[in-house]
Amino acid sequence: MKQPPGKSGLYRIEGGPRTSTAPFPSAAGGGARGGCVSRCIIVPPKPPIDQNVNNGPNPKPAVDRPAPKPDWDPRNSAWKPGDGWDMIVGALQMQNLVNNGNGFTPDRLAEALPTPTNMPGGKNGGRHRDDNKCDSGPGVSSTGHAVYLPRQRYYDSFEGSEQCRATGVYGLLDSSDYNKGRKKPGTNTNDSTQPPGMREIVSDGHVPGNGHLIPAAASGSGIDLRNLVAPYKRTNEWYLNHGVEKDIRGAIKAGNHLAISVVP
């Protein structure tokens, strides 16, 4: 049956003949004048253009693709010794394009650190200097592997005078620094070389200690005040001597290289 103009498809009444006349809706929802009355099924038309051009009994074959060809030569693609040099020269040429290479030249060359030397200082008389210093420079351990930084001058409110206190040490220790039994001369402390703070601890009813920054067991000086501080004795013996210093002793005894930095 021919489809009427302007209609999207045929209308069929279930159980009855097809009709090409569209229903006219009424207030009761039904149709009128010979159209579809009830239970209408709309049959959509076929699409005007086939969506897949390669289906059907005579599909269009795909275009033949030529065999791919490598764009590199596998026999000459290996790394050659001269390639590394070519890359370096190429990078240098790129640098020279920017301000003739001056933008990549450091303003100042790196300076090597001086060899540690035992500068005068570390004694009780440092607080009597008139140049606002306590020491002329840093001190070093007997092996030269540890450096004691110059002390700092400050006003001690308990003593009522200017004093000198240690500021820190650093070093790179090894097995040659191990001081078995703390028998090396100058590594043990004495009553005549005492850092500031010990008298204040006594006034508070406690027992002071004379503590090393670089331990005596690692050849740290016990008579250079640049390497001495005033902790509580209990802290110095139980926590430091049997804790931190024990780890230091164990490391250098085992032949390890130990980088150390201590700031009180």
Side-chain angles (χ1 to χ4, degrees), residues 232-251:
Y232 292 98
K233 183 177 181 180
R234 186 176 182 85
T235 302
N236 188 45
E237 291 182 353
W238 292 102
Y239 173 68
L240 296 178
N241 189 29
H242 297 288
V244 178
E245 293 183 8
K246 182 180 179 181
D247 294 338
I248 296 174
R249 291 194 303 269

Side-chain angles (χ1 to χ4, degrees), residues 193-229:
T193 307
Q194 296 184 350
M198 296 183 68
R199 285 160 43 95
E200 185 176 0
I201 292 176
V202 172
S203 69
D204 291 336
H206 300 283
V207 181
N210 199 342
H212 294 69
L213 297 181
I214 297 295
S219 301
S221 176
I223 57 176
D224 192 326
L225 287 168
R226 290 171 290 197
N227 189 49
L228 299 176
V229 293

Side-chain angles (χ1 to χ4, degrees), residues 95-221:
Q95 291 182 5
N96 290 333
L97 294 177
V98 182
N99 196 19
N100 198 24
N102 294 329
F104 298 91
T105 303
D107 297 333
R108 185 177 62 182
L109 297 178
E111 299 178 1
L113 294 176
T115 303
T117 56
N118 196 16
M119 301 293 292
K123 304 302 179 183
N124 289 328
R127 63 181 182 273
H128 300 304
R129 295 173 60 133
D130 57 3
D131 57 359
N132 202 32
K133 294 181 179 180
C134 294
D135 306 295
S136 298
V140 296
S141 64
S142 59
T143 61
H145 295 168
V147 177
Y148 318 134
L149 298 176
R151 291 173 294 168
Q152 179 188 45
R153 183 182 291 272
Y154 75 104
Y155 181 80
D156 192 308
S157 58
F158 176 81
E159 297 289 347
S161 61
E162 290 188 343
Q163 300 291 326
C164 295
R165 58 188 172 194
T167 59
V169 298
Y170 67 91
L172 182 60
L173 310 180
D174 58 29
S175 58
S176 65
D177 293 288
Y178 178 55
N179 181 18
K180 184 177 181 180
R182 301 165 60 140
K183 296 180 179 179
K184 288 185 179 180
T187 55
N188 291 301
T189 58
N190 55 56
D191 294 336
S192 62
T193 307
Q194 296 184 350
M198 296 183 68
R199 285 160 43 95
E200 185 176 0
I201 292 176
V202 172
S203 69
D204 291 336
H206 300 283
V207 181
N210 199 342
H212 294 69
L213 297 181
I214 297 295
S219 301
S221 176

